[in-house]
Amino acid sequence: MISSVNPAVKMVAIIIPGVLLSFSFDIFTPLTYLIFIVAFTFLFSSIPVKKWLLVFTPFVFLALGFAWMTTLYTSDSFSGGRVLFEFWWFEITTGGVMVGISLALRSLCFVALSLMFILTTDSTKFMLSLMQQFKLPPKLTYGILAGYRFLPTFKHEFEVLRQAHRIRGVGRAKGVKGRLRQFRRYAIPLMANAIRKAERVAIAMESKGFTGSHDRTHYHHMSVGKKDWVFFASIVGTFFLVVFTSYQLGYLNIFGRQF
Amino acid sequence: MKKRLPNQIPPVQKQPALIRTENLSFDYEKKQSEPLINDVSFSLEEGEVTLLTGASGSGKSTISLCLNGLYPEAVEGYAEGTVYFRGEDISRFEKGVLNQKIGIVFQDPESQFCMVTVENELAFTMENLKVPRKDMAERMDAVLEVTGLTEVKYRAIHELSGGQKQKVALASVLLMEPELLILDEPTANLDPVSSLEFIQLVAKLQQERKMAVLVIEHQLDDWMAYIHRVLALNKHGKLIADGPRDKVFAEYKETLTAEGIHLPKVMEENTQKLGGQTPQFLEPSLSISNLSFKRKERTILQDLSMTLHKGEFVAVAGENGAGKSTLLQLMAGILSPHKGTVTFQDAPLKKWREEELRKHMGFVFQNPEHQFITDTVYDELSFGMKLNGTPEEEMKEKVTELLGHFQLEGHRLNNPFSLSGGQKRRLSVATMLDETPDVLLFDEPTFGQDAKTTDELMSIVLDLKAKGTTIVFVTHDMDLIDQYCETVFVLDKGNLAFSGTPEQLWDKESLLKQARLRLPYRVRQQKEEGDVYDLVR
Amino acid sequence: MMKQWKLKEIVLMSIFGVVFAVIYLLFYFFGQGLRNFLTPFGLAPFGYEVIFGIWFIVSIIAAYVIRKPGAAFWSELIAGTVQVLIGSPAGPRLIISAAIQGLGAEVVFAATRYRNFSLYVLVLAGMSAAVFSYAWGWFQSGLAALTPGLIAATFAVRVLSGALLAGLLGKYISDQLAQTGVLRGYALGKELQEKREKEAS
């Protein structure tokens, strides 16, 4: 199961194809890999399909927008091929459309990879494993965890501020200057409060004997075993396999150069 | 009638003292002629419960952090004098060692944890102590049992109630098996019953484990029975009283009162209800009929109806999460009900123009800072008038008057955020008073305030009330309700469980228990006297 | 590496990271809207570029307030990671982008040996982050596929945005915060305090 894979290893395994995919400009490579990632997610995790789709679907629309824009603005080195149609000052070519679709698929790949990570990983264990496997300093690890803990409180505080402003008779902001002033009215109290909390939490942590030393015991012992390497090899290995196949079939396109 | 407290015999003292400070001075900035903590010497004995009290801003909380050696290092402050732990200078301790002998529970339940779940937070403390992994589970379960938290072990801390959060804080400190437990106003944000439960838990643990306890508190009453000794600080960070409990409160009564320190109610004259009998209110000001409110399909308030009158002082009480603040927000029209209506002066709130409504109705938030929207105290006070287009001259005059009335003259150009707690509270009320409002709503305005600030606030409020303003307090403070309010509404799980005078409420014991409220001190005292009388007879 | 950092500084940096992760994500969607709006004018590639500077702002604020080596880099990296954790469509590569942007700002502060935090240095840091991020975007976001004219124009806009929205706005927000007195325990607050004392005497 993906959820029991060491989070730090999982992160690295996902970043490698996440970065390398950016070099491909063809359709075959991201499409094949996307299918693999989605299949892998559902085969080896208990994420409900409905939940996954709920998060994934909005990104499909984002990706389409992305594809459309790229299609319009593709440079000459990519926009070869037949002119499909023209409007305004745009010239839509087959090459442009190809690159657009490729970029859209690529961004969906990123989303699918992200979801595979987010939906199967406990953020606390992720940080702990960065500390235990990658030797991230404990000070930084627990400092980040302490900050992350405040995430749910921000929404509530934002809501209270909105109400308080209404009581004071602050209306909706108009114009750029008004907007900027309004942004400030929210940002300053939110951040001022956050800063005070940071100070208090840090003191509370130190008063519980936290020194930031690496010499500490671990309640959650994070380890890297065979299963983690199998996961790593599957995700990264399959990526290279897809690239190789794409090359064999003559689809591979890196920076507009066909191989 | 002579008041009695259980006798507390101080434990036999061993030498040397657990903690001793000699001429301790401290300030966050560089050395000053009058540092925040000014030349303080005292000692804390093994197994003793000591109360540290003082007005807001007297440096009570700061002292506790000097005792465990976190200050001055953590804030690069200035410090002089020496602190000894069992006769040894604390500056000689290795980093982190002393912190494990002295456990602190802080005031704010929101900002003393660094992990998401109860389990992981407790693990964090044990990891700091380098407890071997195989022992962790057992120790964790034991401490959860002691604090009654076994059921919430795997829950996220931010979803717990305030009382539970403070117990988590206590549990994680207990894991260190501290020699000294410092409690920094741990119950300031809790409802009356949770607060009492917490205090009783600490008292029980203290008796079992014989650890020394230092309690920093404004509200002394529930602690009184457990305290051996009292220390008091004045506004200038000087120690003005140090001695056995009864002696300090007997001998320093005037000094303490002058410093704005709450006295235990046992020591005060019998508190009387103001005004004697309840006046008749005729003119309605705000009325609610059949109001219901839901949040994400969850019913928060269910079919409430009530009427508030001109010049009436109303309290809304109930357990945390009973819907008190939501009701207040509905009254102010910053939330809209799902069913039912709120009528303000003959017209439903929906029909009011926003600007007009805000002129006639004020709302004071629990955290004053949420209300501040400008850079200076002056701008803050003139903001509403500028919106209403008040002429410059009139505005200046009015602001000057408000500054005077709320004792903020010297702070005209200061940033509102940089004021002290009491000043912020006063300013937050003042911003609502550019025109005398017809209704003024307060959400927990006396939380964590010292006696002086509370008194100041109450005198302002009574002033407004006399002018015919309807006052609504959401509060946990039963003594305040008993002393000032004419009408109480009790909410229990979204239902209106009671409406009537405080006197009527105090008779309904089962209702009070159900809504996690307590009798005010005055009534408890009367009942106790009655019990004694019954026994004698 | 974190030896000279106080725990409260780390927690503060982390909270900044969390706050701005949320703001960054909001701006991502705002940028998307801006781009759709600009498309009929043929200016869509500029949709993100004009507001790109906002994505470097936490580096500037953290470095300016805390003034310790690594503040710019780590705060941006935290903001990037948190964005991924709360669900950014940009995906895990955002972590790399954040690290590179943070590095871009960090090198400027490092070049002054963390001694100079004047407006000019802050603006330069914002611009440097923009340059780094553009170089990375060349590979990442398919900037290489744009026409040369557009590349020059978008580059210029991004650097300008970095100067204004990161450098200038970052300084403005930090100074406003310092005015509230909550930064008393941090480098920026102390500097302000000293300035006031000097003026007073």
Side-chain angles (χ1 to χ4, degrees):
Chain A
M1 293 302 272
I2 308 174
S3 55
S4 61
V5 172
N6 179 291
V9 173
K10 206 192 296 182
M11 176 57 87
V12 178
I14 278 170
I15 284 187
I16 293 174
V19 170
L20 293 181
L21 255 179
S22 316
F23 297 95
S24 94
F25 283 83
D26 62 317
I27 293 180
F28 179 83
T29 316
L31 180 64
T32 319
Y33 198 61
L34 177 63
I35 294 168
F36 164 73
I37 290 297
V38 175
F40 194 92
T41 306
F42 289 121
L43 279 177
F44 298 104
S45 81
S46 50
I47 306 169
V49 180
K50 208 177 148 195
K51 183 179 176 189
W52 189 88
L53 280 175
L54 216 64
V55 188
F56 190 77
T57 318
F59 296 124
V60 175
F61 294 104
L62 271 179
L64 285 176
F66 201 57
W68 173 237
M69 193 212 95
T70 315
T71 308
L72 297 185
Y73 294 98
T74 328
S75 74
D76 294 340
S77 57
F78 292 95
S79 59
R82 204 152 52 80
V83 176
L84 290 173
F85 58 93
E86 284 178 63
F87 72 103
W88 287 328
W89 46 82
F90 296 118
E91 197 174 71
I92 308 295
T93 64
T94 43
V97 173
M98 296 282 270
V99 173
I101 295 175
S102 165
L103 286 188
L105 284 170
R106 179 210 281 185
S107 78
L108 288 180
C109 260
F110 294 148
V111 174
L113 281 167
S114 288
L115 285 182
M116 182 161 80
F117 183 83
I118 300 164
L119 297 177
T120 64
T121 312
D122 176 82
S123 40
T124 304
K125 288 195 177 149
F126 170 51
M127 290 308 300
L128 292 179
S129 121
L130 285 182
M131 175 174 75
Q132 291 178 32
Q133 266 76 55
F134 291 168
K135 300 289 166 244
L136 194 69
K139 244 189 194 175
L140 196 58
T141 309
Y142 287 98
I144 291 172
L145 279 169
Y148 190 66
R149 222 188 75 81
F150 287 114
L151 194 57
T153 65
F154 286 127
K155 199 177 158 241
H156 171 73
E157 208 164 325
F158 184 79
E159 198 52 36
V160 175
L161 275 173
R162 215 175 50 83
Q163 292 184 338
H165 290 178
R166 207 171 140 192
I167 291 290
R168 295 295 313 271
V170 183
R172 276 176 184 275
K174 289 177 203 101
V176 177
K177 216 175 160 193
R179 286 264 164 80
L180 200 70
R181 208 180 286 147
Q182 193 181 29
F183 176 71
R184 209 202 69 124
R185 270 186 203 135
Y186 281 103
I188 300 296
L190 275 177
M191 287 172 72
N193 242 327
I195 291 164
R196 284 209 196 90
K197 281 181 184 156
E199 255 180 304
R200 282 194 226 125
V201 172
I203 287 289
M205 287 164 73
E206 283 179 333
S207 80
K208 286 177 198 164
F210 180 72
T211 54
S213 152
H214 263 292
D215 180 20
R216 55 191 285 118
T217 50
H218 300 295
Y219 180 71
H220 297 288
H221 181 67
M222 311 302 289
S223 57
V224 180
K226 211 170 126 196
K227 184 176 57 187
D228 304 311
W229 291 120
V230 171
F231 174 83
F232 185 85
S234 318
I235 297 295
V236 179
T238 307
F239 176 73
F240 284 109
L241 197 70
V242 168
V243 172
F244 183 71
T245 317
S246 167
Y247 171 70
Q248 287 290 321
L249 298 175
Y251 290 120
L252 191 65
N253 177 328
I254 294 177
F255 276 111
R257 203 177 315 151
Q258 201 85 26
F259 291 93
Chain B
M1 173 73 203
K2 190 154 176 353
K3 306 253 177 83
R4 288 156 296 116
L5 273 176
N7 276 324
Q8 283 285 56
I9 302 153
V12 182
Q13 289 178 11
K14 287 173 253 163
Q15 291 297 329
L18 180 62
I19 293 271
R20 190 160 53 88
T21 74
E22 274 177 11
N23 310 99
L24 179 68
S25 294
F26 172 86
D27 202 284
Y28 290 96
E29 315 290 330
K30 289 188 208 81
K31 184 172 175 161
Q32 285 168 5
S33 58
E34 264 206 3
L36 185 65
I37 291 172
N38 196 351
D39 197 19
V40 169
S41 304
F42 64 88
S43 55
L44 301 176
E45 306 295 338
E46 311 264 354
E48 197 180 53
V49 182
T50 310
L51 170 79
L52 174 62
T53 189
S56 301
S58 59
K60 300 187 296 294
S61 305
T62 311
I63 277 199
S64 64
L65 293 166
C66 291
L67 297 186
N68 79 352
L70 282 181
Y71 283 7
E73 201 260 333
V75 287
E76 291 165 19
Y78 137 86
E80 248 174 38
T82 323
V83 180
Y84 298 94
F85 183 85
R86 292 204 171 121
E88 198 176 335
D89 187 339
I90 60 161
S91 57
R92 298 222 195 96
F93 280 84
E94 207 179 307
K95 210 181 167 200
V97 173
L98 189 66
N99 297 331
Q100 296 167 7
K101 297 182 191 293
I102 301 177
I104 310 185
V105 175
F106 296 89
Q107 178 182 351
D108 182 6
E110 307 305 328
S111 58
Q112 50 182 317
F113 306 110
C114 65
M115 305 297 268
V116 177
T117 65
V118 175
E119 181 194 21
N120 287 339
E121 180 65 34
L122 295 180
F124 170 74
T125 307
M126 287 192 281
E127 290 170 353
N128 295 339
L129 299 173
K130 295 176 205 145
V131 172
R133 194 149 71 96
K134 57 178 173 33
D135 301 340
M136 284 186 178
E138 198 183 320
R139 282 179 71 169
M140 188 183 295
D141 289 340
V143 83
L144 286 169
E145 181 75 39
V146 168
T147 46
L149 292 170
T150 310
E151 308 218 320
V152 296
K153 180 173 175 184
Y154 301 107
R155 293 269 300 277
I157 298 176
H158 68 259
E159 291 169 356
L160 302 180
S161 73
Q164 286 172 321
K165 281 179 195 155
Q166 290 303 68
K167 282 183 187 166
V168 174
L170 181 65
S172 62
V173 161
L174 286 176
L175 282 170
M176 307 195 295
E177 289 166 358
E179 314 277 344
L180 172 64
L181 177 64
I182 299 181
L183 304 166
D184 188 355
E185 300 192 41
T187 61
N189 295 320
L190 306 187
D191 64 55
V193 173
S194 303
S195 159
L196 186 64
E197 281 172 2
F198 184 87
I199 292 168
Q200 286 168 345
L201 175 63
V202 169
K204 185 175 136 245
L205 290 168
Q206 196 273 331
Q207 246 129 45
E208 283 167 15
R209 305 191 176 198
K210 300 290 171 226
M211 56 191 166
V213 177
L214 178 67
V215 183
I216 300 170
E217 240 335 322
H218 285 308
Q219 299 294 344
L220 315 178
D221 302 292
D222 292 324
W223 291 102
M224 281 305 281
Y226 311 113
I227 290 166
H228 302 116
R229 219 156 54 92
V230 175
L231 303 170
L233 288 175
N234 71 2
K235 273 194 270 322
H236 309 290
K238 286 239 180 222
L239 195 65
I240 49 169
D242 177 1
R245 180 192 67 193
D246 295 351
K247 186 166 166 255
V248 166
F249 285 120
E251 284 178 14
Y252 296 91
K253 200 174 152 189
E254 277 80 35
T255 329
L256 296 179
T257 315
E259 282 293 328
I261 297 172
H262 279 281
L263 286 179
K265 298 232 166 43
V266 187
M267 307 286 167
E268 279 176 2
E269 310 300 321
N270 269 337
T271 37
Q272 291 292 326
K273 270 196 72 74
L274 288 182
Q277 76 211 74
T278 318
Q280 285 295 308
F281 295 105
L282 296 169
E283 220 179 316
S285 148
L286 187 132
S287 65
I288 288 175
S289 62
N290 306 102
L291 172 133
S292 297
F293 183 78
K294 283 185 194 162
R295 189 168 280 149
K296 283 187 192 156
E297 297 307 306
R298 205 166 67 89
T299 305
I300 308 281
L301 294 171
Q302 179 87 19
D303 202 24
L304 302 190
S305 298
M306 54 179 72
T307 304
L308 318 182
H309 302 88
K310 264 197 159 175
E312 190 177 23
F313 195 151
V314 178
V316 179
E319 190 186 350
N320 280 343
K324 303 186 298 292
S325 298
T326 310
L327 175 61
L328 208 63
Q329 287 160 5
L330 285 160
M331 285 179 179
I334 45 180
L335 286 180
S336 305
H338 280 80
K339 278 200 201 110
T341 45
V342 182
T343 312
F344 178 47
Q345 296 176 346
D346 311 328
L349 280 188
K350 273 180 285 185
K351 296 271 164 70
W352 277 80
R353 271 185 43 220
E354 181 81 15
E355 302 138 47
E356 277 304 304
L357 184 62
R358 298 299 154 225
K359 263 191 237 171
H360 290 275
M361 193 189 268
F363 192 122
V364 178
F365 283 75
Q366 188 181 331
N367 180 354
E369 286 184 2
H370 285 144
Q371 276 172 259
F372 300 155
I373 47 184
T374 65
D375 292 335
T376 67
V377 171
Y378 183 91
D379 288 344
E380 211 54 65
L381 290 174
S382 58
F383 186 83
M385 288 180 263
K386 268 187 202 145
L387 279 185
N388 294 336
T390 313
E392 188 80 6
E393 274 310 300
E394 199 186 319
M395 188 166 84
K396 266 189 189 152
E397 206 171 289
K398 182 77 192 170
V399 172
T400 310
E401 185 196 316
L402 284 170
L403 284 169
H405 191 69
F406 288 85
Q407 301 159 47
L408 293 165
E409 291 105 332
H411 305 282
R412 178 184 283 263
L413 296 177
N414 287 15
N415 190 300
F417 282 82
S418 65
L419 300 176
S420 78
Q423 290 164 346
K424 275 183 204 160
R425 174 48 77 211
R426 295 202 295 272
L427 178 61
S428 73
V429 179
T431 56
M432 291 290 124
L433 301 182
D434 44 350
E435 288 181 49
T436 308
D438 297 320
V439 174
L440 193 49
L441 310 162
F442 291 83
D443 195 358
E444 306 277 11
T446 58
F447 254 177
Q449 306 276 352
D450 64 7
K452 194 158 162 263
T453 317
T454 305
D455 290 347
E456 282 168 0
L457 177 70
M458 292 321 291
S459 87
I460 293 163
V461 165
L462 292 177
D463 231 30
L464 285 165
K465 178 179 142 61
K467 288 183 197 157
T469 302
T470 308
I471 308 285
V472 183
F473 266 41
V474 162
T475 184
H476 283 315
D477 189 339
M478 295 293 129
D479 296 308
L480 185 146
I481 294 179
D482 185 52
Q483 202 181 344
Y484 296 102
C485 296
E486 285 117 4
T487 310
V488 195
F489 295 112
V490 176
L491 293 183
D492 183 34
K493 298 178 189 75
N495 294 301
L496 184 60
F498 172 86
S499 70
T501 66
E503 283 302 324
Q504 290 165 341
L505 177 63
W506 309 145
D507 287 336
K508 302 204 184 307
E509 267 179 55
S510 64
L511 171 75
L512 286 170
K513 204 172 161 194
Q514 199 191 329
R516 290 177 77 77
L517 300 174
R518 292 175 72 197
L519 288 173
Y521 181 79
R522 180 183 67 86
V523 180
R524 287 205 303 271
Q525 204 61 28
Q526 277 173 2
K527 292 224 159 143
E528 245 170 65
E529 284 164 20
D531 291 344
V532 174
Y533 181 69
D534 284 345
L535 282 176
V536 172
R537 196 171 54 170
Chain C
M1 171 172 48
M2 303 306 277
K3 276 256 157 57
Q4 29 172 333
W5 282 68
K6 285 185 189 307
L7 184 62
K8 66 170 185 181
E9 290 167 335
I10 294 181
V11 179
L12 176 67
M13 173 178 82
S14 153
I15 290 189
F16 277 158
V18 171
V19 172
F20 281 95
V22 178
I23 293 176
Y24 285 5
L25 199 59
L26 292 178
F27 269 88
Y28 183 89
F29 294 110
F30 177 63
Q32 194 71 34
L34 209 58
R35 198 165 70 175
N36 293 342
F37 172 75
L38 289 173
T39 301
F41 306 102
L43 295 170
F46 295 97
Y48 277 111
E49 300 304 334
V50 279
I51 56 166
F52 218 99
I54 204 78
W55 283 293
F56 318 136
I57 197 171
V58 76
S59 286
I60 308 299
I61 292 180
Y64 182 48
V65 168
I66 302 172
R67 307 191 174 183
K68 293 254 162 96
F73 172 75
W74 284 108
S75 57
E76 188 74 27
L77 184 58
I78 293 168
T81 313
V82 172
Q83 271 185 95
V84 176
L85 290 178
I86 56 180
S88 170
R93 67 186 166 134
L94 206 59
I95 297 178
I96 310 280
S97 314
I100 287 168
Q101 292 163 9
L103 210 60
E106 189 74 42
V107 291
V108 174
F109 295 117
T112 72
R113 294 187 182 185
Y114 304 98
R115 282 192 197 131
N116 187 345
F117 290 89
S118 58
L119 178 62
Y120 151 78
V121 172
L122 298 183
V123 167
L124 216 58
M127 290 164 74
S128 164
V131 173
F132 272 60
S133 95
Y134 202 91
W136 172 242
W138 180 263
F139 299 106
Q140 270 290 312
S141 336
L143 286 170
L146 297 175
T147 53
L150 265 177
I151 289 176
T154 49
F155 177 73
V157 171
R158 188 181 295 192
V159 171
L160 190 68
S161 175
L164 297 178
L165 286 183
L168 205 60
L169 186 64
K171 181 175 158 61
Y172 171 75
I173 290 180
S174 311
D175 285 340
Q176 290 285 320
L177 265 180
Q179 292 292 332
T180 67
V182 291
L183 290 175
R184 202 171 61 164
Y186 302 89
L188 176 61
K190 282 183 189 147
E191 185 192 62
L192 187 76
Q193 187 71 25
E194 275 164 28
K195 218 192 266 168
R196 277 187 184 156
E197 271 163 24
K198 243 182 228 162
E199 274 166 23
S201 63

